[in-house]
Amino acid sequence: MGHSVGQVARLAGITVRTLHHYDEIGLLSPSGRSHAGHRRYGDDDLDRLQQILFYRELGFPLDEVAVLLDDPDTDPREHLRRQHHLLTARIAELQKMAEAVEHAMEAKKMGINLTPEEKFEVFGDDPEEYNDEVEQRWGDTDAYRESQRRTARYTKADWQRIQDEAKDWSDRYGALMDDGEVPEGERAMAMAEAHRQHICRWFYECPYELHRCLGDMYVADERFKAFYDGMRPGLAEHVRGAIHANADRHA
């Protein structure tokens, strides 16, 4: 008997109205009807719907999808190969965008006021494209405003010193992890304190409870996690544990 329009809508996560529209424009007409005249979709119809939704997700207009699917010289396997290639490319683009957003977040937090060329040199990407997200996330916080006030005066030499300190910190933290130091260890807690002091010195006052929140964000936010784990696998989780342990001993 096939599947009813309601069943197909639920399976595909779309609306009944969408299926009716696809039928009206000839993009997906059900292959059968019930005795009462209701639409019934068979397995081939579901395969076609899957192809339609893949192409739609990739941004193809519906009239172009119809042309692609109705091409007699292209078999279903070719559609899947094409879609796999396009989706893989899309994933790579989104990953690059996520990394660029991470750079933008760091740039905005530090109030960078460099030329586009200098921004590219320091961060590996021009962060300007993603400034809106940073504004929405942090723009109304005291820490953000304090960071903006301080960093407005920084020179390129200041930013280079900040980068050098951060690199030295990450190298030393990686070394203690190589030595098997646990997050609750003295060395790890000392490095967590150095991390907090770095923020206080250069950007804004960072009390221990705020530092805890930052540590949690380094793990919960996939972009921050990727940033820290990119320095050394497992670094984000380890740093969060050390930050919490250091805050606990100062409570």
Side-chain angles (χ1 to χ4, degrees):
M1 292 293 293
H3 302 275
S4 71
V5 66
Q7 290 171 329
V8 173
R10 286 191 294 273
L11 284 170
I14 58 179
T15 65
V16 169
R17 183 177 180 180
T18 295
L19 288 171
H20 287 173
H21 177 62
Y22 290 171
D23 189 7
E24 290 165 1
I25 65 175
L27 181 59
L28 176 65
S29 297
S31 56
R33 294 276 176 171
S34 70
H35 293 303
H38 299 142
R39 296 172 174 85
R40 306 298 296 187
Y41 294 82
D43 288 341
D44 289 344
D45 299 328
L46 296 184
D47 287 342
R48 184 177 175 93
L49 177 58
Q50 182 189 52
Q51 299 298 325
I52 292 168
L53 296 180
F54 277 146
Y55 278 124
R56 191 184 73 172
E57 184 65 25
L58 288 163
F60 283 74
L62 293 181
D63 56 350
E64 189 172 339
V65 173
V67 172
L68 288 168
L69 294 180
D70 293 333
D71 182 354
D73 297 325
T74 304
D75 65 27
R77 288 174 298 179
E78 179 59 31
H79 285 298
L80 289 172
R81 282 192 291 269
R82 178 190 294 130
Q83 290 164 347
H84 182 268
H85 172 75
L86 292 171
L87 286 167
T88 301
R90 176 83 171 274
I91 290 169
E93 290 172 359
L94 290 173
Q95 180 60 40
K96 184 177 181 181
M97 184 181 294
E99 293 171 358
V101 170
E102 166 64 21
H103 293 316
M105 292 162 66
E106 290 296 315
K108 196 67 176 180
K109 180 182 72 176
M110 294 186 293
I112 283 188
N113 188 27
L114 305 177
T115 67
E117 292 77 15
E118 289 171 330
K119 292 174 184 176
F120 187 90
E121 175 187 352
V122 174
F123 292 102
D125 267 304
D126 182 355
E128 292 296 331
E129 184 176 354
Y130 305 101
N131 276 351
D132 287 347
E133 178 180 340
V134 181
E135 288 279 8
Q136 292 170 6
R137 186 166 184 176
W138 286 310
D140 196 33
T141 64
D142 290 338
Y144 178 87
R145 287 187 286 269
E146 175 68 8
S147 177
Q148 290 289 91
R149 185 185 65 77
R150 292 194 198 181
T151 58
R153 303 189 302 268
Y154 290 171
T155 65
K156 186 176 180 181
D158 292 323
W159 291 117
Q160 189 59 58
R161 182 179 173 188
I162 290 168
Q163 293 294 311
D164 291 343
E165 286 186 11
K167 177 64 166 57
D168 177 67
W169 179 90
S170 65
D171 289 344
R172 287 189 291 133
Y173 204 102
L176 71 82
M177 289 180 67
D178 290 338
D179 292 341
E181 176 82 352
V182 297
E184 299 78 14
E186 287 295 328
R187 291 172 61 198
M189 288 191 291
M191 289 298 293
E193 179 63 18
H195 181 274
R196 191 183 72 84
Q197 291 293 339
H198 177 83
I199 296 172
C200 292
R201 181 166 58 256
W202 290 104
F203 304 115
Y204 52 85
E205 289 305 310
C206 184
Y208 290 104
E209 286 308 307
L210 176 56
H211 202 212
R212 284 184 195 271
C213 294
L214 291 176
D216 291 339
M217 184 176 66
Y218 296 157
V219 174
D221 189 306
E222 293 180 359
R223 293 166 295 190
F224 275 99
K225 191 173 190 302
F227 175 78
Y228 279 94
D229 287 351
M231 299 181 191
R232 189 189 191 286
L235 180 60
E237 291 274 3
H238 203 286
V239 168
R240 179 181 68 171
I243 287 173
H244 276 263
N246 185 55
D248 289 342
R249 70 173 177 172
H250 287 91

